Amino acid sequence: MNPIRLIVSDLDGTLLSADHTLPSSAATAIREYISRGGCFTLATGRPFITARPIIQQLGLDLPVILCNGAVVARANGTLLERCGIPLASLYDLLSAAKLSGLDILLFCGDEVLTLARNINIAAYERKEGVPCSLLRLHEIRKCGTEIEKAILLGPVEQSRRLFAEFVDRSSALHSSIAAFQSEDNYLELVPGQVSKGTALQQIAASLEIPLEQVMAIGNQLNDLPMLEAAGIGVAVANSPAELKQAADYVCEASYSEGVLEAMEHYIDAVDRRFQNYIEKLEV
């Protein structure tokens, strides 16, 4: 078994508990792993502004993957890589989504924009601890801004149908925008050339760590590219069947307990085998 030198974990639904907080047991285990020379970082759909508290709690110093791979930033928030979507190019889709009753979140740097305020947006603000700014739909048509990602918030099948209709009408956008489900009611739109998997490969290469010595842990289909890219792909128990089928290891535990289980299975087990080997040599 190859030693795991780099662990890349999703946040919501994976490392964080069901109430979107970081358990102290997980934070302690990760800091211990880092103190022993291991590398650990995050790959999340969150922007830096809402990922920053977790980065600080863990004391990370490696680059982190944000906005489902559209952004790679240093742990202090300094941008290393950024890909964007011209906001004006999404006007027809966002107009149709708003008309159909879907809520919309738009991510631009440290700002989160929305097209309407309601209880769903208020719930998002409470969960993420960030206020959303109101943007009028008509302002999008001639907007020159690029966004890192958009979220269609509501029934995912409805969002997928609207997105499919949108790209069918605009073949130029078919490969320039990718759609991932990141939560039960989130369809996230990101630049087509990015994913958590491509960003993971960039970080591993910069650290000169072979992919076979990387473990990626997730719980949703937006995590699939990084599970496929890593040497060991792990799905926590609260993952959909499609992700579990693609994983090298499926945890019995959910959320952060699953992350700790995977670390025990792949990290501590290797350490114990190495220690036993050393003890045999000494005898």
Side-chain angles (χ1 to χ4, degrees), residues 244-264:
K244 291 179 178 179
Q245 290 167 4
D248 298 296
Y249 180 79
V250 178
C251 301
E252 294 183 5
S254 298
Y255 300 100
S256 61
E257 290 300 317
V259 175
L260 295 179
E261 176 188 333
M263 291 178 68
E264 162 71 18

Side-chain angles (χ1 to χ4, degrees), residues 137-191:
L137 182 61
H138 69 84
E139 296 176 309
I140 292 176
R141 189 186 290 274
K142 296 183 179 181
C143 181
T145 300
E146 281 194 343
I147 61 171
E148 289 85 32
K149 72 167 186 173
I151 293 179
L152 301 184
L153 177 56
V156 170
E157 287 308 310
Q158 181 182 354
S159 298
R160 287 191 184 279
R161 177 180 55 79
L162 286 175
F163 179 71
E165 293 173 356
F166 170 67
V167 296
D168 284 346
R169 291 196 304 269
S170 179
S171 57
L173 294 173
H174 191 276
S175 60
S176 64
I177 300 175
F180 298 100
Q181 181 176 352
S182 60
E183 293 195 24
D184 291 342
N185 59 342
Y186 282 17
L187 187 70
E188 303 204 11
L189 311 180
V190 298

Side-chain angles (χ1 to χ4, degrees), residues 168-225:
D168 284 346
R169 291 196 304 269
S170 179
S171 57
L173 294 173
H174 191 276
S175 60
S176 64
I177 300 175
F180 298 100
Q181 181 176 352
S182 60
E183 293 195 24
D184 291 342
N185 59 342
Y186 282 17
L187 187 70
E188 303 204 11
L189 311 180
V190 298
Q193 69 271 34
V194 305
S195 70
K196 290 185 179 183
T198 56
L200 179 151
Q201 292 176 45
Q202 292 172 11
I203 289 177
S206 71
L207 296 172
E208 299 183 344
I209 296 177
L211 289 173
E212 58 265 26
Q213 296 180 0
V214 178
M215 179 165 69
I217 313 173
N219 82 300
Q220 264 295 357
L221 296 181
N222 62 320
D223 300 314
L224 179 59

Side-chain angles (χ1 to χ4, degrees), residues 60-138:
L60 301 184
D61 57 9
L62 293 184
V64 292
I65 299 166
L66 306 166
C67 294
N68 279 321
V71 174
V72 178
R74 291 192 174 96
N76 64 4
T78 303
L79 287 179
L80 296 174
E81 300 282 345
R82 179 189 181 273
C83 294
I85 303 171
L87 181 54
S89 70
L90 297 176
Y91 175 81
D92 289 343
L93 173 61
L94 299 180
S95 179
K98 187 173 187 293
L99 187 64
S100 69
L102 295 172
D103 291 306
I104 295 160
L105 295 165
L106 306 170
F107 296 78
C108 183
D110 283 341
E111 192 171 23
V112 183
L113 308 171
T114 187
L115 301 186
R117 301 202 63 84
N118 55 39
I119 59 172
N120 295 326
I121 299 302
Y124 172 84
E125 291 176 320
R126 286 194 300 273
K127 184 188 85 165
E128 302 288 347
V130 61
C132 295
S133 301
L134 190 63
L135 179 69
R136 303 298 180 185
L137 182 61
H138 69 84

Side-chain angles (χ1 to χ4, degrees), residues 261-280:
E261 176 188 333
M263 291 178 68
E264 162 71 18
H265 185 81
Y266 283 102
I267 309 298
D268 294 344
V270 170
D271 286 352
R272 284 196 298 271
R273 290 175 193 175
F274 180 74
Q275 184 60 38
N276 290 339
Y277 174 73
I278 295 298
E279 289 174 355
K280 288 180 182 178

